[in-house]
Amino acid sequence: MRVAVIGAGIVGVTTAWELAADGHEVTVYERCGSVAAEGSFANAGIVAPGYGGAWGPLVSTHGAATQLFGANGSARLAPRLDVAAWRWLWRQRRARRAHGHAARALQLQRLAHYSRERLRSLTGELGLSYERADGCLVLLRHARDLAEAQPLLQALADSGTRHEVVDPLQCRRIEPGLNPDAPLHAGIHLPDGESGNCRQFAHLLRVQAQQRGAQFRFHSRVESLGAGAPPSLVHVHAPPEESTVVTPAEGSPGDGPLTQPLPFEPITERHDAIVVCAALDARALLRPLGVRVPLAPVYGHSVTAPLRHYESHPDIGPRSAVIDERFRVAVSRIGQRVRVAGGAQLGGDPSALDARTVDRLYQVLDDWFPGVAHRGHAQRWKGARPMLPDSLPVVGASGAPGVWLNLGHGASGWTLACGSARLLADALAGRASVFDGAAALGIERLR
């Protein structure tokens, strides 16, 4: 089949690979000049199935006041929300209170486990060598943090996730670079978790997909879709533009040539199937087809900086990934750099960094790993995590003939990407999946 994939973030790239590996003729349309140039550019880079504290349902409501994460300051609402954002908040509140919420959360964890195994399988089979490290440690500053983490521990047990509650001494054996003066009551060690460079992985997998015949058309913006047999799309070659909020302006200036030259006037093309992995842009593309996907942007931030090197302190910085449970901030090792990521803002200006969130990231980094980063060379980033109200992605047929969906992974994009892509490829081929929870990810639940 001739299959179009719209979007080349981590979800789009993994989808392109799985479809190409199945023998389809794949064309990927991406408005930026590179893969993983926006929401996948500088994310936390943590794959930790079973742990949803930082990356699970982000929004909660309490009485008449809507808030994010209570009083710990790790997330907030934008100053002025539009009607769509308030409607999404209401749907999210209903989803969390609805019958079956616990079952959906468990389904999400099962998908995360399946996806991690697919990630490891691809990494080994294809010989992908990218910056990564095994293990994840959740840090609990005070006794009350451990008490509040009991639902998390129960969720880890229910999902079959290997974990261990460890004391401060054990925490510092796992992560010798932890500040010995920082208050630390306990930790939750997830030995099967990992951290890594999501963007680097996406680039390596893109090359593998191209070797299987997939074409990547960069700076190509899809303007509309047409359902049918076959479905169609209209795209236009867009000039290069800044497509992700990064300071200083390192960006991703188009690291690969187009697979073929494209004119500037709109072009209509037909395919046997179209898979939409276009994150927030999917809303406008799908609405004319009568397909409404209630995605909302929940923005996260990160700071990435080179690690300092001291011969007398070889263990400076994290060995893998640590998560501050109190502030929902992750600190991970990315090769010879350290990345601190967190925050969750619903709505607001996608091009403006939130100073309070960035300050909080620096604060948490200094609490646990003081002086480890070359701040003068730090890269600050903001990206959208497109989320659905029930925190599950939507994977499968859209209901419009010929149009398929792989959307709404929120902050768990890399965690869920490889598994979701395999599910999509199986569904498109009409093949039964080894993952028996695919039906729960259909768009029917959103209607």
Side-chain angles (χ1 to χ4, degrees):
M1 294 174 63
R2 296 181 65 247
V3 183
V5 176
I6 304 174
I10 185 61
V11 173
V13 172
T14 52
T15 299
W17 157 256
E18 295 290 359
L19 292 170
D22 277 0
H24 298 292
E25 183 181 334
V26 179
T27 302
V28 182
Y29 298 86
E30 168 57 47
R31 67 178 183 178
C32 300
S34 170
V35 302
E38 296 186 295
S40 307
F41 183 83
N43 54 28
I46 295 178
V47 178
Y51 177 73
W55 333 115
L58 296 176
V59 183
S60 61
T61 58
H62 180 70
T66 304
Q67 58 183 355
L68 298 177
F69 278 146
N72 66 10
S74 62
R76 55 179 57 89
L77 300 177
R80 289 179 294 276
L81 291 180
D82 59 19
V83 173
W86 284 111
R87 185 180 296 118
W88 186 90
L89 276 172
W90 177 250
R91 293 190 64 166
Q92 194 268 351
R93 182 184 185 186
R94 290 182 60 189
R96 296 194 70 185
R97 293 184 173 184
H99 175 72
H101 172 69
R104 288 195 300 272
L106 184 59
Q107 194 76 320
L108 184 65
Q109 299 305 336
R110 292 182 62 245
L111 177 59
H113 282 278
Y114 172 71
S115 187
R116 181 199 59 193
E117 294 309 311
R118 185 61 184 160
L119 168 64
R120 291 182 173 179
S121 176
L122 288 177
T123 299
E125 292 174 5
L126 300 177
L128 304 181
S129 179
Y130 59 96
E131 298 166 328
R132 62 174 302 278
D134 290 321
C136 180
L137 181 64
V138 181
L139 301 175
L140 306 170
R141 292 173 179 253
H142 307 291
R144 68 177 180 273
D145 295 330
L146 179 58
E148 293 172 358
Q150 293 309 305
L152 166 61
L153 292 171
Q154 186 61 52
L156 291 171
D158 291 343
S159 64
T161 303
R162 282 206 305 155
H163 67 283
E164 181 184 8
V165 178
V166 293
D167 61 26
L169 181 60
Q170 291 171 301
C171 287
R172 291 188 167 94
R173 286 174 179 166
I174 296 168
E175 287 288 350
L178 287 172
N179 181 4
D181 298 324
L184 178 58
H185 178 73
I188 304 171
H189 185 221
L190 305 170
D192 294 330
E194 61 185 77
S195 64
N197 191 328
C198 174
R199 182 171 182 263
Q200 189 179 38
F201 174 85
H203 278 271
L204 293 172
L205 195 61
R206 165 206 164 185
V207 172
Q208 294 291 327
Q210 286 179 310
Q211 291 177 355
R212 294 293 184 103
Q215 295 187 29
F216 283 75
R217 296 185 180 179
F218 297 117
H219 300 304
S220 188
R221 184 178 67 248
V222 175
E223 297 189 327
S224 64
L225 300 178
S232 63
L233 59 81
V234 177
H235 67 97
V236 62
H237 179 53
E241 61 183 8
E242 190 65 38
S243 56
T244 189
V245 180
V246 178
T247 57
E250 297 182 10
S252 53
D255 55 357
L258 299 173
T259 54
Q260 63 184 79
L262 296 172
F264 284 93
E265 63 270 10
I267 301 172
T268 300
E269 295 190 12
R270 298 188 181 277
H271 298 266
D272 298 312
I274 296 173
V275 184
V276 182
C277 306
L280 295 173
D281 289 346
R283 298 175 298 185
L285 289 174
L286 295 169
R287 192 176 299 117
L289 305 181
V291 179
R292 296 188 178 274
V293 182
L295 289 166
V298 179
Y299 295 102
H301 291 66
S302 72
V303 176
T304 309
L307 281 166
R308 297 183 184 275
H309 296 282
Y310 300 103
E311 291 186 4
S312 58
H313 297 284
D315 287 318
I316 192 169
R319 285 183 172 179
S320 180
V322 301
I323 298 174
D324 187 312
E325 178 67 8
R326 169 57 46 179
F327 295 109
R328 308 298 204 275
V329 169
V331 184
S332 54
R333 190 181 191 97
I334 308 292
Q336 296 305 309
R337 296 168 294 159
V338 62
R339 176 169 294 165
V340 53
Q345 183 182 35
L346 178 63
D349 184 354
S351 64
L353 294 168
D354 183 77
R356 290 177 295 176
T357 299
V358 173
D359 289 344
R360 175 57 56 84
L361 298 183
Y362 278 123
Q363 174 195 328
V364 172
L365 180 62
D366 287 342
D367 284 349
W368 295 113
F369 301 100
V372 302
H374 286 282
R375 288 197 179 191
H377 300 282
Q379 176 192 80
R380 299 181 298 168
W381 171 86
K382 177 181 180 181
R385 304 159 174 164
M387 290 187 65
L388 291 164
D390 62 2
S391 299
L392 287 172
V394 57
V395 182
S398 71
V403 180
W404 299 74
L405 306 177
N406 196 357
L407 297 166
H409 300 78
S412 302
W414 194 20
T415 300
L416 304 177
C418 292
S420 297
R422 187 65 256 164
L423 295 183
L424 187 286
D426 288 340
L428 192 146
R431 181 172 52 236
S433 173
V434 297
F435 179 75
D436 60 6
L441 306 179
I443 195 171
E444 295 78 15
R445 74 181 199 273
L446 301 174
R447 290 173 180 153

